[in-house]
Coordinates of all heavy atoms in Angstrom, one line a residue:
A346 N 6.4 -8.3 -5.5 CA 7.6 -8.7 -6.4 C 8.8 -8.2 -5.7 O 8.8 -7.7 -4.6 CB 7.4 -8.1 -7.8
M347 N 10.0 -8.3 -6.3 CA 11.2 -7.8 -5.9 C 11.8 -6.9 -7.0 O 12.1 -7.4 -8.1 CB 12.2 -8.9 -5.5 CG 13.5 -8.4 -4.9 SD 13.3 -7.7 -3.2 CE 13.0 -9.2 -2.2
Y349 N 14.9 -4.8 -8.6 CA 16.4 -4.9 -8.5 C 17.0 -4.0 -9.6 O 16.4 -3.7 -10.6 CB 16.8 -6.3 -8.6 CG 16.6 -6.9 -10.0 CD1 17.7 -7.0 -10.9 CD2 15.4 -7.4 -10.5 CE1 17.6 -7.6 -12.2 CE2 15.2 -8.0 -11.7 CZ 16.3 -8.1 -12.6 OH 16.2 -8.6 -13.8
F354 N 23.8 -5.6 -10.2 CA 23.9 -7.0 -10.3 C 25.1 -7.4 -11.3 O 25.8 -8.3 -11.0 CB 22.6 -7.7 -10.7 CG 21.7 -8.0 -9.6 CD1 21.4 -7.1 -8.6 CD2 21.1 -9.3 -9.5 CE1 20.5 -7.4 -7.6 CE2 20.3 -9.6 -8.4 CZ 20.0 -8.7 -7.5
P360 N 23.5 -12.7 -12.2 CA 22.6 -12.6 -13.4 C 21.9 -11.3 -13.4 O 21.6 -10.7 -12.3 CB 21.7 -13.8 -13.2 CG 22.3 -14.7 -12.2 CD 23.2 -13.9 -11.3
T361 N 21.5 -10.9 -14.6 CA 20.7 -9.7 -14.7 C 19.3 -9.9 -15.3 O 18.4 -9.1 -15.2 CB 21.4 -8.6 -15.6 OG1 21.7 -9.2 -16.9 CG2 22.7 -8.2 -14.9
D362 N 19.2 -11.1 -16.0 CA 17.9 -11.4 -16.6 C 16.9 -11.7 -15.5 O 17.2 -12.4 -14.5 CB 18.0 -12.7 -17.5 CG 16.7 -13.2 -18.0 OD1 16.2 -12.6 -19.0 OD2 16.2 -14.2 -17.4
R363 N 15.6 -11.2 -15.6 CA 14.7 -11.3 -14.5 C 14.3 -12.7 -14.2 O 14.1 -13.0 -13.0 CB 13.4 -10.4 -14.8 CG 12.5 -10.9 -15.9 CD 11.3 -9.9 -16.1 NE 11.7 -8.6 -16.5 CZ 11.8 -8.2 -17.7 NH1 11.5 -9.1 -18.7 NH2 12.2 -7.0 -18.0
E364 N 14.3 -13.6 -15.2 CA 13.9 -15.0 -14.9 C 15.1 -15.6 -14.1 O 14.9 -16.4 -13.1 CB 13.7 -15.8 -16.2 CG 12.5 -15.3 -16.9 CD 11.2 -15.5 -16.2 OE1 11.1 -16.5 -15.4 OE2 10.2 -14.8 -16.4
E365 N 16.3 -15.3 -14.5 CA 17.5 -15.9 -13.8 C 17.6 -15.3 -12.4 O 18.0 -16.0 -11.4 CB 18.7 -15.6 -14.6 CG 18.8 -16.4 -15.9 CD 20.0 -16.1 -16.7 OE1 21.0 -15.5 -16.1 OE2 20.1 -16.4 -17.9
V366 N 17.3 -14.0 -12.3 CA 17.3 -13.4 -10.9 C 16.2 -14.0 -10.0 O 16.5 -14.3 -8.9 CB 17.1 -11.9 -11.1 CG1 16.9 -11.2 -9.7 CG2 18.3 -11.2 -11.8
S367 N 15.0 -14.2 -10.5 CA 14.0 -14.8 -9.8 C 14.4 -16.2 -9.2 O 14.1 -16.6 -8.1 CB 12.7 -15.0 -10.6 OG 12.2 -13.7 -11.0
A368 N 15.2 -16.9 -10.1 CA 15.6 -18.3 -9.7 C 16.7 -18.3 -8.6 O 16.9 -19.3 -8.0 CB 16.2 -19.0 -10.9
L369 N 17.3 -17.1 -8.4 CA 18.3 -17.0 -7.3 C 17.7 -17.2 -5.9 O 18.4 -17.6 -5.0 CB 19.0 -15.6 -7.4 CG 19.9 -15.3 -8.5 CD1 20.3 -13.9 -8.5 CD2 21.1 -16.3 -8.5
W370 N 16.4 -16.8 -5.8 CA 15.9 -16.7 -4.4 C 14.4 -17.2 -4.3 O 13.5 -16.4 -3.9 CB 16.0 -15.3 -3.9 CG 15.4 -14.2 -4.8 CD1 14.1 -14.1 -5.3 CD2 16.1 -13.0 -5.2 NE1 14.0 -12.9 -6.0 CE2 15.2 -12.2 -6.0 CE3 17.4 -12.5 -5.0 CZ2 15.6 -11.0 -6.6 CZ3 17.7 -11.3 -5.6 CH2 16.8 -10.6 -6.3
P371 N 14.2 -18.5 -4.5 CA 12.8 -19.0 -4.2 C 12.4 -18.8 -2.7 O 11.3 -18.8 -2.4 CB 12.8 -20.4 -4.7 CG 14.3 -20.7 -4.9 CD 15.0 -19.5 -5.1
T372 N 13.5 -18.8 -1.9 CA 13.2 -18.6 -0.4 C 13.9 -17.4 0.1 O 14.9 -16.9 -0.5 CB 13.7 -19.9 0.4 OG1 15.2 -19.9 0.3 CG2 13.2 -21.2 -0.2
Q375 N 17.6 -18.0 0.7 CA 18.4 -17.9 -0.6 C 18.6 -16.4 -1.0 O 19.6 -16.1 -1.6 CB 17.8 -18.7 -1.7 CG 17.9 -20.2 -1.5 CD 17.0 -21.0 -2.3 OE1 15.8 -20.9 -2.3 NE2 17.6 -22.0 -3.1
Y376 N 17.6 -15.6 -0.7 CA 17.8 -14.2 -0.9 C 18.9 -13.6 -0.1 O 19.8 -12.9 -0.6 CB 16.5 -13.5 -0.5 CG 16.5 -11.9 -0.6 CD1 16.5 -11.3 -1.8 CD2 16.7 -11.2 0.6 CE1 16.5 -9.9 -1.8 CE2 16.7 -9.8 0.6 CZ 16.6 -9.2 -0.7 OH 16.7 -7.8 -0.7
T379 N 22.2 -14.7 -1.6 CA 22.5 -13.9 -2.8 C 23.1 -12.6 -2.3 O 24.0 -12.1 -2.9 CB 21.3 -13.7 -3.6 OG1 20.7 -15.0 -4.0 CG2 21.6 -12.9 -4.9
D486 N 14.6 -3.2 -12.6 CA 13.8 -4.3 -13.2 C 13.0 -5.0 -12.1 O 13.2 -4.6 -10.9 CB 14.7 -5.2 -14.0 CG 14.0 -5.9 -15.2 OD1 12.8 -6.3 -15.0 OD2 14.6 -6.2 -16.2
I487 N 12.2 -6.0 -12.5 CA 11.3 -6.6 -11.5 C 11.4 -8.1 -11.6 O 11.3 -8.7 -12.7 CB 9.9 -6.2 -11.8 CG1 9.7 -4.6 -11.8 CG2 8.9 -6.7 -10.7 CD1 8.4 -4.1 -12.2
A488 N 11.6 -8.8 -10.5 CA 11.7 -10.2 -10.4 C 10.7 -10.7 -9.4 O 10.0 -9.9 -8.7 CB 13.1 -10.7 -10.0
A489 N 10.6 -12.0 -9.3 CA 9.7 -12.6 -8.3 C 10.2 -12.3 -6.9 O 11.4 -12.2 -6.6 CB 9.5 -14.1 -8.5
V490 N 9.2 -12.3 -5.9 CA 9.6 -12.1 -4.5 C 9.9 -13.5 -3.9 O 9.2 -14.5 -4.3 CB 8.4 -11.4 -3.8 CG1 7.2 -12.3 -3.6 CG2 8.9 -10.8 -2.4
P491 N 10.8 -13.6 -3.0 CA 11.0 -14.8 -2.3 C 9.8 -15.2 -1.5 O 9.0 -14.4 -1.1 CB 12.2 -14.5 -1.3 CG 12.9 -13.3 -2.0 CD 11.8 -12.5 -2.6
G492 N 9.6 -16.5 -1.3 CA 8.5 -17.0 -0.5 C 7.2 -17.2 -1.3 O 6.3 -17.7 -0.7
I565 N 3.4 -10.5 -13.6 CA 4.2 -10.6 -12.4 C 3.3 -10.3 -11.2 O 3.2 -11.1 -10.2 CB 5.4 -9.7 -12.3 CG1 6.4 -10.2 -13.3 CG2 6.0 -9.6 -10.9 CD1 7.6 -9.2 -13.6

Side-chain angles (χ1 to χ4, degrees):
M347 184 69 74
Y349 70 99
F354 271 50
T361 59
D362 174 78
R363 68 180 65 92
E364 296 295 333
E365 295 178 14
V366 171
S367 298
L369 291 173
W370 53 54
T372 68
Q375 288 166 304
Y376 173 78
T379 302
D486 207 324
I487 306 170
V490 70
I565 290 170

